[in-house]
Amino acid sequence: MGVSAIFMGCIGITEGAIPFAVKDLGRTLPGIMIGSAVGAGLAALQGIECYVPHGGFIVALATSNIPLFCLDIVIGALIGAAVLVAM
């Protein structure tokens, strides 16, 4: 399930995370929320505009700064993973 969740997450389909979140909501949800907030916050601080109502790497071409958008996704994912490991 993990491999398919990674691929789904890269194209903005978040349903792949649901089985993991449901198994241990108290530990999984904070990591998901913090990682998402960090990635989105970085993009907002950098003034990156996304022209489509979707997420993930698949919409990188529809943003005002492709490299920073992708970097923010990676940073948010790493922060989320660190929180999940710590919890």
Side-chain angles (χ1 to χ4, degrees):
M1 285 188 339
V3 174
S4 62
I6 289 171
F7 287 111
M8 286 191 294
C10 285
I11 60 172
I13 301 171
T14 58
E15 284 81 359
I18 292 172
F20 299 102
V22 170
K23 280 186 175 183
D24 193 358
L25 195 60
R27 288 186 225 178
T28 311
L29 198 57
I32 293 171
M33 291 170 48
I34 292 169
S36 298
V38 167
L42 285 171
L45 287 172
Q46 295 162 345
I48 297 173
E49 297 178 11
C50 184
Y51 307 114
V52 294
H54 195 56
F57 291 109
I58 197 167
V59 300
L61 295 174
T63 63
S64 60
N65 191 327
I66 296 168
L68 278 180
F69 179 79
C70 292
L71 180 64
D72 293 341
I73 290 175
V74 171
I75 292 171
L78 291 174
I79 296 292
V83 171
L84 288 170
V85 168
M87 296 203 57

